[in-house]
């Protein structure tokens, strides 16, 4: 089993919601962004072509793991690379080693509070307890491993069941993010990778990222027929407040 | 053991509508995410998620205040709710008795929760002078759709309830994918694209979708009517129109045909700067691959030809038969709760109220239920007092109306101004009394979406800060003091009243959270049934969809659409364009801000710290501007500073500025930085749409040049632009 993510650039609207969701999920200090949208430059200096969402690639051959002298950056069986912040000594070798610049050192100035000079908000204070961050250590996206573990423990399937799926994937309004098991050829991610010519960023770095990208044209859908569950709006129908009398007055005759 | 609750509610950080789950632990919000059991299936955008930072935000207004210094001086004294409400009620009564109730105006921001209370409040007092941003956002669409459907709403059928999704979609001056504007949700739109054959985008700037769409028509701002008429002409010339629909259900096809013939594709290409082949291809795709929809953005309503532009686009929908078919444009059937807006419709406008609508004699379509704000500002600047008392909720007229300087000078001339708001901003600094209002996480109310096929519940999750109260409570309390016969014992009674048709009580509805008419309960092809008219047809004077509008004709307007150059453009004012050579468009959507809001939400401000203007690298090079430079944008009215972003996705002859910008962190003096970067410093209301009064806000001309470093050191700007000099609270 190896968890992976497919980012669909033809769906991504560059709305930044994934960043906001990650900030909430992990109570990120102001200066920390685990996922980011970065400019994709052309060869002409200063000409920005587009932006592209990135987060830690959970590389198979992760240089950040190799260089860590304290063995604080670890790779799990399921491919997730994470930092044990109780062990991290803050040497920042991994930051230099990561060719994708997906790691951030949490220095004191990156944690000024939401409103510098004012009391921390109650959400911030609660976050200190629920999801503490250790100043002087390095952080990065960990594929929401707590969600995955808690979900699996309940028998849920990451990428399918919301509770077991990364927060950014859940919030994405255009459904540009897909999560699942790269080792399972039947998983949604594996199928997307195979069918839509997915690519990894900078394969020449030789780290074998678990985050893939697909791109192409919008449109050319083979059919515009709505599937039955869309036609019936079954996911919201049951919420309707329809009362007996209202049914008589307004209901379908 | 901590007490943990999950509260189901509805987001209102844009026009709203996403279902939300809020986790509250011992009275503190510890998590927000989308509700998977809602119409947006658990998704939320950055704005909605960042609502957490409204809570304990030190910039919130927490108590009622009365001004003790000069306007814009920032000197305030905290007062009690009773003193505030009694003073306001007395001022309203005094003005009403002495000068007439129409001298009391009520204004609002975007069409969110308070919209219907604003109208009820105004009407209950006997005034139709509602000052609404509607005339530059959504009202022209509603009003002109109303000429076909009577009831005034056509929306894109993104849901597949009729069996199919749209095959061809035109996204016209809109970025629904990042805005969910007008409560057509980004989630629905992007999902419908999975079933789309052709996506056509009409936008002067590249977006995430333009390079991936079937076609991108990169249009010169302000020429959209020409494009629509050009497409109509091609469709008619090539015989591609929907013959069955046009013959049986439309009126005035021949007249439209002749009018459209005045827009041959070569001419249209010259006007719009769009290559001829692309216009032809767009016309063919839209006519042949039906059903189709056109999603119209409010930028078109911020132009002095807005009425005819929208009419032209509606006619394009008409000749292609894209009305009321599954997968086309549709007017949704209401849920069992009926029309929530009846809470103000039940107090009809009287002839006397109507006769005092400012600008009503001129802008006849706009005057259906609101006045023309620019007319009032002009009068105030002349030293007249058309309005004595102005009750403003949520909106920032100083920021969004044309000609910021004139708005500020004009408002100083009011006898009494109240601002109801969550945060300090330019309007609050101008006010005599400021009232603190609650955020959607802090209140009970009904969420009434623009497309109207459902309503949802805003359920209170936490207490508001200090003494802040919901807008519904505030209106009810002022209303009770001025015209008690129209107002309610408390907010719950008001909400029960609004829901009575279902019938359901607020308490019960708040548990259910949704009342909707969706799926097979919706009705398509209403014109083929008795729905609008016995024996079928449209609720228009001719019983047909009026390509030629008899209603407009009777009001003295051209019944057929036409194109008119913007008031200032390289073609309409060539002399002026020598001095101001670049076309300027303002107000493109940002996924982090909703109009003038959220510059004080740290998470959102990190995404765009300074207002940003986009300029083509070629143009920038000629002007010696580099990416990230602060630049001046100047028009004959004044100049503003924005940060330059070199962007190849914009025409070298056009620049785009971020609109609605003030600096909440700036001092009260200078009205919180409203004169520094707001593009309405550059606009004016000299050219207005004859139907709606909408001025040219998104199509004008300007020049751009680099800001000298010493200019930013000016004490007026240094706190904002030079971080070492403070930069608080945005120290990060
Ligand atoms: S939330 Fe989705 S659409 Fe928005 S930026 Fe992230 S990946 Fe793209
Ligand atoms: S992207 Fe960087 S931080 Fe993440 S696993 Fe690869 S090398 Fe390590
Ligand atoms: S997977 Fe989880 S940790 Fe990684 S970016 Fe998404 S929300 Fe953040
Ligand atoms: S799209 Fe609108 S309603 Fe949905 S989360 Fe964003 S701001 Fe809220």
């Amino acid at each position: 089993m190896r968890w992976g993510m497919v980012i669909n650039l033809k769906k991504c609207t560059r709305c930044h919601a994934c960043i906001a969701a990650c900030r909430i999920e992990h109570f990120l200090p102001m200066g920390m962004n685990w996922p980011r949208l970065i400019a994709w430059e052309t060869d002409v200096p200063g000409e920005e072509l587009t932006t592209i969402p990135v987060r830690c690639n959970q590389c198979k051959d992760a240089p950040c793991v190799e260089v860590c002298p304290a063995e604080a950056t670890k790779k799990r069986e399921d491919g997730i690379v994470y930092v044990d912040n109780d062990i991290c000594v803050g040497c920042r070798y991994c930051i230099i080693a990561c060719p994708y610049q997906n790691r951030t050192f949490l220095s004191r100035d990156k944690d000024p509070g939401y409103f510098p000079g004012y009391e921390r908000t109650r959400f911030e204070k609660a976050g200190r307890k629920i999801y503490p961050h250790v100043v002087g250590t390095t952080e990065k996206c960990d594929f929401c491993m707590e969600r995955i573990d808690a979900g699996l423990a309940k028998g849920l399937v990451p990428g399918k069941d919301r509770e077991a799926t990364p927060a950014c994937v859940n919030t994405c309004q255009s459904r540009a993010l897909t999560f699942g098991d790269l080792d399972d050829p039947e998983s949604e991610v594996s199928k997307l990778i195979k069918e839509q010519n997915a690519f990894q960023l900078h394969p020449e770095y030789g780290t074998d990222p678990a985050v893939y990208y697909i791109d192409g044209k919008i449109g050319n859908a083979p059919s515009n027929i709505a599937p039955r569950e869309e036609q019936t709006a079954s996911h919201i129908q049951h919420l309707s407040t329809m009362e007996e009398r209202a049914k008589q007055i307004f209901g379908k005759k | 053991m901590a007490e943990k609750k999950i509260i189901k509610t509805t987001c209102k950080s844009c026009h709203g509508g996403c279902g939300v789950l809020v986790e509250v632990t011992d009275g503190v919000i510890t998590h927000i995410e989308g509700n998977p059991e809602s119409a947006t299936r658990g998704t939320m955008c950055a704005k909605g998620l960042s609502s957490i930072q409204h809570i304990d935000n030190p910039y919130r207004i927490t108590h009622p205040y009365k001004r003790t210094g000069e306007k814009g001086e920032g000197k305030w004294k905290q007062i009690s709710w009773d003193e505030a409400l009694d003073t306001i009620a007395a001022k309203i009564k005094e003005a009403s008795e002495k000068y007439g109730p129409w001298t009391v105006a009520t204004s609002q921001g975007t069409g969110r929760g308070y919209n219907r209370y604003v109208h009820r409040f105004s009407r209950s007092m006997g005034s139709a002078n509602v000052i609404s941003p509607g005339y530059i956002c959504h009202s022209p669409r509603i009003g002109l759709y109303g000429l076909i459907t009577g009831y005034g709403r056509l929306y894109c059928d993104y849901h597949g309830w009729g069996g199919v999704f749209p095959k061809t979609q035109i996204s016209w001056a809109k970025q629904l994918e990042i805005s969910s504007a007008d409560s057509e949700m980004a989630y629905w739109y992007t999902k419908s694209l999975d079933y789309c054959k052709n996506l056509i985008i009409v936008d002067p700037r590249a977006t995430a979708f333009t390079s991936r769409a079937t076609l991108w028509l990169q249009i010169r701002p302000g020429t959209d009517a020409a494009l629509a008429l050009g497409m109509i002409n091609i469709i008619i010339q090539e015989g591609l129109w929907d013959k069955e629909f046009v013959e049986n259900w439309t009126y005035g096809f021949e007249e439209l045909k002749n009018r459209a013939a005045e827009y041959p594709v070569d001419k249209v290409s010259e006007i719009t700067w769009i290559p001829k082949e692309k216009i032809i291809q767009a016309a063919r795709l839209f006519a042949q691959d039906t059903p189709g929809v056109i999603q119209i953005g409010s930028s078109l309503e911020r132009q002095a030809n807005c009425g005819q532009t929208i009419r032209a686009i509606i006619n394009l929908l008409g000749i292609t038969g894209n009305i009321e078919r599954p997968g086309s444009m549709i007017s949704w059937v209401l849920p069992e709760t009926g029309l929530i807006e009846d809470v103000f419709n039940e107090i009809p406008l009287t002839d006397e109220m109507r006769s005092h609508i400012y600008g009503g004699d001129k802008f006849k379509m706009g005057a259906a239920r609101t006045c023309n704000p620019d007319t009032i500002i002009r009068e105030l600047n002349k030293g007249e007092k058309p309005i004595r008392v102005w009750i403003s909720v949520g909106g920032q007229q100083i920021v969004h109306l044309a000609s910021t300087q004139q708005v500020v000078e004009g408002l100083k001339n009011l006898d009494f101004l109240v601002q109801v708001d969550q945060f300090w901003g330019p309007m609050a600094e101008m006010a005599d009394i400021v009232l603190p209002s609650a955020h959607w996480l802090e209140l009970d109310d009904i969420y009434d979406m623009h497309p109207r096929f459902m309503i949802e519940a805003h359920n209170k999750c936490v207490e508001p800060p200090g003494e802040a109260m919901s807008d519904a409570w505030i209106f009810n309390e002022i209303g009770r003091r001025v015209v008690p016969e129209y107002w309610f014992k408390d907010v719950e009674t008001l909400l029960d009243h609004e829901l009575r048709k279902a019938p359901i009580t607020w308490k019960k509805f708040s548990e259910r959270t949704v009342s909707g008419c969706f799926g097979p309960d919706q009705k398509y092809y209403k014109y083929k049934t008795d729905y609008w008219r016995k024996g079928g047809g449209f609720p228009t004077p001719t019983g047909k969809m009026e390509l030629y509008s008899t209603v407009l004709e009777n009001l003295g307007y051209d019944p057929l659409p036409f194109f008119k150059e913007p008031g200032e453009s390289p073609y309409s004012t060539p002399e002026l364009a020598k001095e101001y050579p670049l076309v300027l468009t303002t107000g493109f959507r940002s996924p982090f801000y909703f109009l003038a809001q959220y510059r004080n939400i740290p998470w959102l401000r990190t995404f765009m710290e300074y207002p940003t203007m986009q300029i083509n690298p070629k143009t920038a090079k000629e002007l010696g501007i580099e990416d990230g430079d602060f630049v001046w944008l100047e028009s004959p009215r004044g100049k503003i500073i924005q940060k330059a972003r070199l962007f190849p996705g914009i025409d070298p002859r056009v620049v785009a500025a971020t609109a609605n910008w003030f600096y909440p962190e700036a001092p009260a003096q200078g009205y919180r930085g409203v004169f520094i970067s707001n593009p309405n410093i550059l606009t004016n209301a000299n050219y207005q749409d004859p139907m709606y009064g909408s001025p040219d806000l998104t199509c004008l001309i300007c020049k751009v040049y680099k800001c000298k470093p010493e200019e930013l050191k000016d004490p007026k700007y240094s706190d904002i632009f030079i971080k070492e000099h403070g930069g608080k609270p945005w120290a990060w």
Side-chain angles (χ1 to χ4, degrees):
Chain A
M1 170 174 313
R2 186 179 176 214
W3 299 119
M5 191 183 285
V6 175
I7 300 180
N8 188 340
L9 295 175
K10 60 186 171 184
K11 290 191 165 210
C12 171
T13 65
R14 281 63 169 173
C15 75
H16 292 59
C18 42
I19 300 177
C22 187
R23 285 168 169 175
I24 290 176
E25 182 72 18
H26 303 104
F27 297 88
L28 294 185
M30 266 320 288
M32 298 299 278
N33 283 325
W34 292 4
R36 293 169 296 152
L37 274 116
I38 59 171
W40 184 320
E41 305 270 343
T42 64
D43 293 341
V44 187
E47 276 201 14
E48 174 195 290
L49 191 63
T50 184
T51 50
I52 162 164
V54 297
R55 65 223 346 89
C56 170
N57 290 305
Q58 322 293 341
C59 306
K60 193 174 238 168
D61 300 310
C64 57
V65 177
E66 279 158 37
V67 300
C68 180
E71 293 185 13
T73 291
K74 301 182 215 267
K75 188 155 161 284
R76 312 200 316 179
E77 292 261 290
D78 59 5
I80 293 179
V81 176
Y82 73 103
V83 186
D84 185 336
N85 295 92
D86 292 334
I87 305 178
C88 172
V89 291
C91 66
R92 287 171 263 186
Y93 287 180
C94 55
I95 293 180
I96 298 164
C98 169
Y100 296 96
Q101 297 167 22
N102 272 332
R103 297 179 152 248
T104 319
F105 180 70
L106 176 56
S107 52
R108 198 157 296 283
D109 64 316
K110 286 210 163 58
D111 187 20
Y114 296 165
F115 303 100
Y118 293 91
E119 200 185 337
R120 286 189 189 271
T121 69
R122 282 169 292 171
F123 177 77
E124 278 183 284
K125 285 186 198 155
R128 307 269 127 176
K129 293 195 194 117
I130 301 169
Y131 204 99
H133 291 263
V134 187
V135 171
T137 66
T138 295
E139 297 189 350
K140 66 169 195 68
C141 156
D142 58 11
F143 265 5
C144 289
M145 61 180 187
E146 291 90 352
R147 283 183 83 94
I148 293 177
D149 294 345
L152 285 172
K154 285 190 191 167
L156 303 173
V157 184
K160 280 217 173 82
D161 297 307
R162 197 178 160 88
E163 255 188 274
T165 301
C168 55
V169 177
N170 287 341
T171 210
C172 178
Q173 293 183 312
S174 62
R175 295 288 192 233
L177 305 175
T178 312
F179 191 79
D181 183 4
L182 297 174
D183 287 343
D184 173 4
E186 290 307 307
S187 71
E188 200 60 32
V189 281
S190 299
K191 282 195 227 152
L192 282 173
I193 291 168
K194 204 163 140 232
E195 286 159 19
Q196 302 209 30
N197 292 324
F199 56 92
Q200 297 158 310
L201 291 184
H202 293 293
E204 71 276 15
Y205 295 157
T207 66
D208 191 5
V211 176
Y212 285 79
Y213 292 82
I214 52 184
D215 204 350
K217 282 280 189 188
I218 301 172
N220 284 324
S223 157
N224 67 332
I225 307 273
R228 205 181 139 64
E229 73 266 22
E230 298 295 348
Q231 292 193 28
T232 53
S234 49
H235 70 297
I236 36 175
Q237 272 293 1
H238 67 285
L239 294 173
S240 194
T241 52
M242 217 68 151
E243 304 273 314
E244 272 319 302
R245 211 187 97 207
K247 264 188 196 153
Q248 287 160 15
I249 306 169
F250 299 96
K252 216 164 54 171
K253 296 271 151 58
Chain B
M1 190 62 193
E3 195 214 340
K4 207 182 255 191
K5 285 185 294 190
I6 307 280
I7 298 171
K8 284 190 209 165
T9 186
T10 308
C11 178
K12 191 168 62 165
S13 287
C14 63
H15 286 124
C18 290
V20 186
L21 297 177
V22 180
E23 179 190 83
V24 180
T25 314
D26 291 333
V28 176
I29 295 181
T30 42
H31 189 73
I32 289 186
E33 64 176 71
N35 180 0
E37 287 206 323
S38 74
T40 41
R41 298 212 198 204
T43 65
M44 277 181 85
C45 80
K47 303 180 287 285
L49 291 169
S50 300
S51 291
I52 277 184
Q53 293 190 325
H54 278 71
I55 312 294
D56 294 341
N57 185 314
Y59 301 96
R60 287 286 293 274
I61 302 171
T62 50
H63 298 275
Y65 287 97
K66 102 174 163 200
R67 187 162 51 77
T68 56
E70 293 299 310
K71 289 191 174 226
E73 218 185 4
K75 291 196 179 144
W76 300 93
K77 179 175 175 273
Q78 189 183 320
I79 55 174
S80 70
W81 267 112
D82 274 337
E83 182 183 343
L85 295 168
D86 291 342
T87 312
I88 294 166
K91 290 279 180 188
I92 292 174
K93 280 187 195 157
E94 187 194 325
S96 192
E97 276 155 27
K98 268 203 204 151
Y99 311 106
W102 47 87
T103 62
V104 181
T106 317
S107 74
Q108 61 165 90
T110 50
R112 293 183 294 152
Y114 40 59
N115 177 354
R116 59 192 190 274
Y117 303 128
V118 164
H119 283 270
R120 183 180 177 93
F121 181 71
S122 187
R123 291 180 184 194
S124 70
M125 291 182 313
S127 170
N129 281 315
V130 168
I131 297 172
S132 149
Y135 78 127
I136 49 165
C137 180
H138 213 208
S139 289
R141 262 170 291 165
I142 295 178
L144 296 167
Y145 288 148
L147 297 188
I148 319 168
T149 63
Y151 138 86
R153 310 242 158 176
L154 279 179
Y155 288 97
C156 298
D157 181 12
Y158 290 141
H159 306 274
W161 295 334
V164 293
F165 286 98
K167 227 183 219 177
T168 301
Q169 296 209 27
I170 303 184
S171 173
W172 202 313
K174 185 128 171 178
Q175 276 192 277
L176 192 60
E177 68 275 15
I178 54 164
S179 62
S180 294
D182 314 320
S183 339
E184 287 185 281
M185 310 308 288
Y187 171 77
W188 304 336
Y189 169 50
T190 51
K191 186 194 63 195
S192 76
L193 290 178
D194 291 347
Y195 302 88
C196 168
K197 183 154 178 246
N198 315 296
L199 174 64
I200 300 166
I201 294 178
V202 184
D203 202 309
R205 308 175 319 128
T207 67
F209 283 178
T210 47
S211 62
R212 295 171 176 86
T214 317
L215 263 183
W216 171 29
L217 308 183
Q218 189 172 19
I219 194 169
R220 171 164 69 94
T223 64
D224 306 76
L227 174 61
L229 284 157
M231 288 172 69
I232 292 174
N233 184 47
I234 293 164
I235 291 169
I236 296 179
Q237 295 306 321
E238 299 192 358
L240 301 175
W241 75 91
D242 183 328
K243 316 235 163 41
E244 192 275 329
F245 182 79
V246 167
E247 188 161 321
N248 295 315
W249 306 105
T250 67
Y251 173 81
F253 179 71
E254 280 305 313
E255 288 87 342
L256 176 66
K257 179 179 166 184
N258 294 337
R259 174 59 62 85
E262 293 169 27
Y263 296 85
V265 70
D266 288 307
K267 178 176 161 189
V268 171
S269 171
E270 226 166 82
I271 295 172
T272 58
W273 297 350
I274 303 169
K276 175 173 140 176
E277 304 68 44
K278 289 197 177 183
I279 302 172
I280 297 172
Q281 199 192 343
R284 288 181 186 158
L285 288 177
F286 194 66
Q288 288 173 324
D289 278 342
T290 55
V293 295
I294 302 180
Q295 179 58 256
I296 304 176
S298 59
S299 282
L300 303 186
E301 290 159 331
R302 291 167 198 163
Q303 301 178 350
N305 193 38
C306 99
Q308 294 301 358
T309 303
I310 308 273
R311 280 287 299 155
I313 296 176
I314 295 173
N315 280 351
L316 179 56
L317 290 165
I319 61 159
T320 50
N322 280 310
I323 307 283
E324 291 281 322
R325 295 174 59 176
S328 76
M329 304 298 288
I330 181 162
S331 159
W332 297 115
V333 175
L334 302 170
E336 62 273 17
T337 27
L339 188 59
I340 294 297
E341 285 191 358
D342 279 346
V343 75
F344 69 83
N345 288 330
E346 67 191 19
I347 309 177
L349 290 178
T350 62
D351 287 343
E352 184 177 39
M353 284 188 213
R354 272 186 212 283
S355 68
H356 288 98
I357 292 182
Y358 292 108
D361 47 341
K362 231 173 139 186
F363 309 113
K364 292 181 195 135
M365 289 295 291
R369 60 192 202 194
T370 56
C371 62
N372 178 256
D374 305 297
T375 304
I376 291 177
I377 298 298
R378 261 196 298 269
E379 292 297 305
L380 286 168
N381 270 285
K382 281 190 216 147
E384 302 291 327
K385 286 185 187 266
I387 296 298
R388 299 268 167 180
V389 173
W390 179 326
I391 313 292
S392 160
V393 51
Q396 294 292 350
Q397 279 71 25
I398 295 179
V399 182
H400 81 70
L401 291 182
S403 188
T404 310
Q405 302 92 322
Q406 277 200 37
V407 183
V408 167
E409 287 316 308
L411 291 185
K412 286 183 184 161
N413 211 5
L414 293 170
D415 289 354
F416 190 68
L417 173 67
V418 178
Q419 177 73 6
V420 182
D421 222 334
Q422 294 170 14
F423 290 101
W424 292 98
M427 284 297 279
E429 299 301 346
M430 176 67 74
D432 297 279
I433 284 188
V434 171
L435 301 178
S437 64
H439 180 260
W440 60 263
L441 285 164
E442 305 158 347
L443 54 77
D444 285 331
D445 207 341
I446 298 159
Y447 166 70
D448 179 24
M449 69 175 354
H450 285 315
R452 289 176 169 170
F453 60 75
M454 67 173 187
I455 60 166
E456 294 169 275
H458 294 298
N459 284 322
K460 184 171 177 174
C461 302
V462 286
E463 288 300 321
E467 293 180 290
M469 297 301 279
S470 72
D471 298 319
W473 183 89
I474 294 170
F475 275 118
N476 195 45
E477 286 304 312
I478 306 175
R480 272 153 53 95
R481 283 167 169 78
V482 183
V483 272
E485 61 275 26
Y486 288 107
W487 293 88
F488 299 82
K489 181 167 102 248
D490 51 27
V491 172
E492 191 178 334
T493 319
L494 165 62
L495 298 180
D496 284 345
H497 176 76
E498 292 180 68
L499 293 166
R500 71 194 182 285
K501 279 175 241 155
I504 192 169
T505 61
W506 161 254
K507 281 232 167 72
K508 199 153 173 217
F509 175 66
S510 96
E511 284 164 22
R512 301 300 299 259
T513 70
V514 174
S515 159
C517 178
F518 20 61
D521 294 336
Q522 271 302 334
K523 289 187 180 69
Y524 293 83
Y525 292 116
K526 290 188 245 348
Y527 61 86
K528 290 188 183 174
T529 69
D530 292 342
Y531 192 89
W532 279 321
R533 209 185 174 88
K534 196 114 197 89
F538 288 90
T540 58
T542 55
K544 306 262 171 110
M545 169 176 178
E546 297 195 342
L547 301 172
Y548 177 105
S549 173
T550 58
V551 177
L552 289 180
E553 186 174 38
N554 287 336
L555 288 174
Y557 296 110
D558 192 331
L560 290 165
F562 59 83
F563 163 69
K564 188 164 178 264
E565 270 292 326
E568 290 175 359
S569 86
Y571 305 103
S572 59
T573 52
E575 276 308 306
L576 198 64
K578 283 186 189 143
E579 168 95 28
Y580 303 97
L582 293 166
V583 172
L584 169 66
T585 183
T586 72
F588 54 87
R589 287 283 175 188
S590 144
F592 335 119
Y593 299 126
F594 201 67
L595 306 165
Q597 298 178 92
Y598 309 144
R599 273 70 172 180
N600 36 23
I601 302 302
W603 277 345
L604 297 174
R605 190 73 181 271
T606 57
F607 294 140
M608 192 204 266
E609 196 169 358
Y610 294 108
T612 300
M613 61 84 71
Q614 294 175 326
I615 183 167
N616 188 286
K618 256 194 241 133
T619 318
K621 199 167 170 206
E622 280 164 26
L623 297 169
I625 292 165
E626 284 175 33
D627 194 56
D629 280 348
F630 284 106
V631 296
W632 290 107
L633 290 128
E634 188 178 322
S635 85
R637 270 74 57 185
K639 56 181 190 173
I640 57 166
I641 306 177
Q642 296 211 348
K643 199 169 180 155
R645 194 87 180 102
L646 270 50
F647 184 51
I650 190 163
D651 189 289
R653 295 162 286 185
V654 180
V655 293
T658 298
N660 297 315
W661 198 286
F662 67 97
Y663 294 89
E665 71 272 26
Q669 298 80 3
Y671 298 93
R672 304 225 168 226
V674 80
F675 298 116
I676 299 172
S677 299
N678 189 24
N680 279 328
I681 299 278
L682 312 179
T683 60
N684 66 23
N686 294 352
Y687 306 96
Q688 287 182 276
D689 178 66
M691 296 182 206
Y692 282 92
S694 325
D696 275 334
L697 304 182
T698 54
C699 50
L700 55 155
I701 51 177
C702 74
K703 64 178 167 190
V704 175
Y705 49 98
K706 208 169 146 161
C707 233
K708 298 195 191 82
E710 60 270 24
E711 287 175 316
L712 293 178
K713 286 190 194 132
D714 182 319
K716 267 196 292 201
Y717 310 127
S718 57
D719 269 358
I720 285 169
F721 295 110
I722 303 175
K723 287 244 183 119
E724 306 84 272
H725 287 233
K728 261 177 104 183
W730 317 110
W732 26 263

